[in-house]
């Protein structure tokens, strides 16, 4: 579906809309309505079920979202969390450098210095996208954090967290003390990140307040034993740096065992990369031919990373592959910087007596971008029908309950919807319009199951049975109302990683 059509549909169905809409909207901020909020919650639950399911030593915490200045100074964000900005000297509009260079350098400006960016601008005689003037200023580094006045005097400086990861590093010492005192130790956070993006755009893709789900795995680089056999034969769609430099955009299928061959990537990295890939393929169900694992070069990687593969999915609405998450090997950067910044040594003593400063492997996931991507890839027109083919455990409303004739069947249907809710199966009663219209509304909302109460439910041999209609096949069957929760419930639980 085209971008405008998709956004219009999501707004019309109350999935999401611009924040402060009645005041003309606030750039880069969006609100989720009932369907969107439920979908986002289910995506977060699916993420937690999968990634916390990787190990009993991975735990979720819920930290504060404001960071004192000392934290972002130590983490490097005060100095390095910048995007190159270009201001037009004629009309004073400000742009991210990559939007000015978009046509001549579609791969972006990661790794270019401000001087190199200025050279590209001058070589191609680029103009201001707003007023058309050639008077574009010298690129400068723009820090994307939101600073806040903290405390009553307003003299203490603090920042809204630009990534949820920092909270896990700050909690590491406490989690070590209250836990098993062993590595690996995983700390997960699902929370808001705030970035003063220069040019927010593409709705949920470049927001100023968005949700990240991030797992930080603290480990001893000398001993990180993992059941690598579980992923050894998995083929991964990787686009590595040499292939990219040769001008290729499509990934090649490489087995995990080949990626770790001598001189290759570390086993702990490929093990988690493979499980991350499986999450996008098997849980979120993005089409296999639309996923690629895109390796970032030395110049392109974030300042804290040693190895970085972004998970990208091809989206029709945004005309190409887009980053939805990543696997970052951050080395000892984070605990090293926070040891220096806080004055507290964050190294730990293992049972062997060895002292180690743990390294960090970060599995990061943008929740909002995935909500958009799930609409882009799973929502489509099927003749007159618009169907959102979400897996049942991601559907905002898993079950629709309809009285065939509201006057006669509503009482039973309302009680059935309530019974399902009490059994943990979210259900919505709908008695408005024809049955066809009700199916159409549910198809568009991604509801996989619709149940209709009719005359047979109330009377005769088929008493207490209802019709159950499947969204994708449109097949209908007669089932006992009392069996519904037991039958549908298991399909509504998000998958966990397979056991050995
Ligand atoms: N802790 C590492 C980190 O924050 P990142 O690549 O800056 O890395 C991780 O962000 C993920 O957060 C991205 O893969 C993307 O899905 C999401 N994300 C980043 N910036 C975003 C924005 N402005 N709007 C929406 N999602 C964003």
């Amino acid at each position: 579906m085209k971008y405008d059509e998709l956004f219009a549909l999501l707004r019309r169905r109350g999935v999401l809309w611009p924040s402060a809409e009645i005041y003309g909207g606030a750039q880069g901020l969006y609100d989720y309505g009932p369907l969107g909020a439920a979908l986002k919650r289910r995506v977060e639950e699916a993420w937690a079920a999968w990634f916390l399911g990787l190990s009993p030593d991975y735990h979720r915490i819920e930290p504060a979202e404001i960071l004192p200045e000392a934290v972002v100074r130590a983490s490097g964000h005060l100095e390095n969390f910048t995007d190159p900005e270009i201001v037009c000297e004629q009309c004073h509009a400000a742009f991210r450098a990559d939007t000015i260079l978009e046509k001549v350098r579609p791969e972006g400006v990661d790794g270019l210095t401000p001087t190199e960016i200025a050279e590209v601008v001058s070589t191609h005689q680029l103009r201001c996208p707003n007023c058309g003037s050639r008077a574009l200023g010298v690129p400068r580094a723009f820090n994307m954090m939101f600073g806040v006045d903290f405390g009553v005097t307003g003299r203490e400086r603090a920042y809204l967290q630009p990534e949820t990861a920092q909270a896990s590093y700050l909690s590491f010492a406490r989690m070590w003390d209250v836990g098993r005192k062993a590595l690996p130790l995983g700390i997960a956070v699902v929370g808001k990140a705030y970035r003063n993006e220069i040019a927010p755009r593409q709705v949920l893709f470049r927001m100023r307040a968005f949700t990240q789900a991030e797992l930080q795995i603290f480990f001893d680089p000398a001993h990180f034993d993992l059941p690598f056999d579980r992923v050894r034969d998995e083929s991964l769609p990787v686009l590595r740096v040499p292939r990219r430099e040769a001008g290729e955009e499509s990934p090649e299928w490489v087995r995990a065992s080949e990626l770790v061959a001598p001189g290759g990537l570390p086993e702990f990295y490929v093990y988690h990369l493979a499980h991350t890939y499986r999450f996008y393929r098997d849980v979120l169900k993005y089409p296999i031919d639309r996923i690629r694992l895109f390796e970032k070069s030395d110049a392109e990687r974030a300042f804290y990373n040693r190895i970085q593969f972004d998970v990208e999915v091809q989206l029709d609405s945004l005309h190409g592959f887009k980053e939805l998450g990543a696997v970052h090997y951050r080395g000892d950067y984070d605990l090293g910087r926070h040891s220096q910044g806080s004055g507290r040594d964050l190294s730990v003593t293992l049972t062997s007596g060895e002292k180690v400063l743990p390294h960090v492997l970060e599995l990061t996931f943008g929740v909002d971008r995935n909500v958009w991507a799930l609409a882009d890839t799973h929502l489509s027109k099927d003749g007159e029908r618009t169907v959102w083919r979400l897996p049942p455990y991601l559907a905002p409303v898993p079950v629709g309950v309809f009285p065939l004739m509201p006057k006669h069947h509503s009482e039973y249907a309302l009680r059935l919807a309530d019974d399902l809710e009490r059994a943990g199966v979210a259900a919505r009663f709908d008695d408005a319009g024809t049955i066809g219209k009700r199916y159409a509304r549910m198809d568009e909302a991604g509801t996989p199951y619709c149940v209709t109460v009719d005359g047979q439910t109330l009377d005769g041999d088929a008493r207490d049975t209802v019709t159950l209609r499947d969204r994708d096949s449109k097949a209908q069957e007669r089932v006992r109302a009392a069996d519904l929760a037991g039958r549908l419930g298991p399909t509504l639980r998000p998958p966990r990683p397979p056991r050995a």
Side-chain angles (χ1 to χ4, degrees), residues 162-455:
E163 55 169 358
T164 61
Q166 292 305 318
S168 296
Y169 310 140
L170 300 180
S171 302
F172 173 73
R174 174 67 61 190
M175 287 289 287
W176 178 265
D177 284 346
V178 301
R180 259 185 352 108
K181 296 191 172 54
L183 296 176
L185 167 63
I187 306 181
V189 175
V190 179
K192 285 274 190 222
Y194 302 88
R195 298 184 186 176
N196 196 5
E197 295 282 356
I198 300 168
R201 59 179 185 165
Q202 295 176 331
V203 193
L204 304 184
F205 263 72
R206 201 172 295 146
M207 303 166 83
R208 287 186 167 143
F210 54 96
T211 302
Q212 289 183 321
E214 297 194 303
L215 170 63
Q216 313 297 321
I217 303 166
F218 299 85
F219 65 97
D220 173 1
H223 307 101
F224 193 175
D225 296 328
L226 289 159
F228 191 74
D229 278 346
R230 289 189 197 173
V231 302
R232 181 174 295 284
D233 294 328
E234 186 72 79
S235 281
L236 302 174
V238 291
L239 182 52
R240 302 213 58 182
V241 171
R243 191 172 159 85
R244 287 179 49 207
E245 285 171 353
E248 274 295 336
E249 293 202 348
S250 57
E252 56 182 342
W253 290 93
V254 182
R255 274 150 66 116
S257 54
E258 293 168 51
L259 287 172
V260 299
L265 298 166
E267 271 194 10
F268 71 79
Y269 188 88
V270 176
Y271 177 84
H272 287 94
L273 185 66
H275 274 105
T276 300
Y277 167 65
R278 287 174 175 172
F279 175 70
Y280 287 84
R281 184 193 62 189
D282 301 342
V283 180
L284 300 185
K285 305 251 184 223
Y286 292 120
I288 292 178
D289 58 353
R290 284 180 175 245
I291 311 174
R292 74 181 184 191
L293 304 171
F294 183 95
E295 185 180 23
K296 289 281 180 96
S297 68
D298 292 353
E300 294 166 332
R301 283 198 292 274
F303 60 91
Y304 41 73
N305 278 334
R306 296 186 189 187
I307 305 175
Q308 175 174 348
F309 279 72
D310 289 346
V311 183
E312 298 190 332
V313 172
Q314 194 177 17
L315 303 179
D316 291 340
S317 62
L318 300 180
H319 310 293
F321 279 96
K322 294 286 161 187
E323 174 198 335
L324 302 183
V327 179
H328 297 159
Y329 174 33
R330 300 176 65 132
D332 60 0
Y333 177 85
D334 302 286
L335 293 193
R337 295 288 292 229
H338 284 303
S339 290
Q340 275 173 14
S342 66
R344 165 140 183 202
D345 180 5
L346 293 174
S347 45
V348 294
T349 305
L350 305 176
T351 38
S352 60
E354 204 186 334
K355 203 171 163 194
V356 170
L357 183 63
H359 282 208
V360 170
L361 180 69
E362 172 183 64
L363 312 186
T364 180
F365 176 80
V367 178
D368 311 86
R369 284 189 184 184
N370 279 279
V371 167
W372 181 274
L374 286 167
D376 178 293
T377 50
H378 293 56
L379 213 166
S380 58
K381 287 242 155 80
D382 184 358
E384 287 297 287
R385 235 176 131 217
T386 306
V387 193
W388 200 348
R389 292 190 170 83
L390 290 166
Y393 47 81
L394 293 182
V397 179
V399 185
V401 182
F402 310 153
L404 180 64
M405 293 163 68
K407 196 166 146 207
H408 303 293
H409 309 131
S410 282
E411 195 184 328
Y412 193 106
L414 277 165
R415 203 174 49 246
L416 178 58
D418 188 52
D419 286 347
L420 288 169
E421 288 275 351
R422 285 169 196 269
V425 173
R428 180 175 303 164
F429 172 85
D430 185 357
D431 65 352
T434 61
I435 284 286
K437 286 223 167 76
R438 290 181 242 172
Y439 282 149
R441 265 200 300 276
M442 290 292 173
D443 286 346
E444 205 175 56
T447 299
Y449 310 115
C450 290
V451 169
T452 304
V453 173
D454 55 21

Side-chain angles (χ1 to χ4, degrees), residues 21-42:
E21 215 175 4
I22 58 169
Y23 286 90
Q27 275 213 320
L29 302 182
Y30 291 89
D31 296 342
Y32 288 99
L35 287 180
L39 169 59
K40 182 167 174 280
R41 232 175 8 252
R42 294 199 203 290

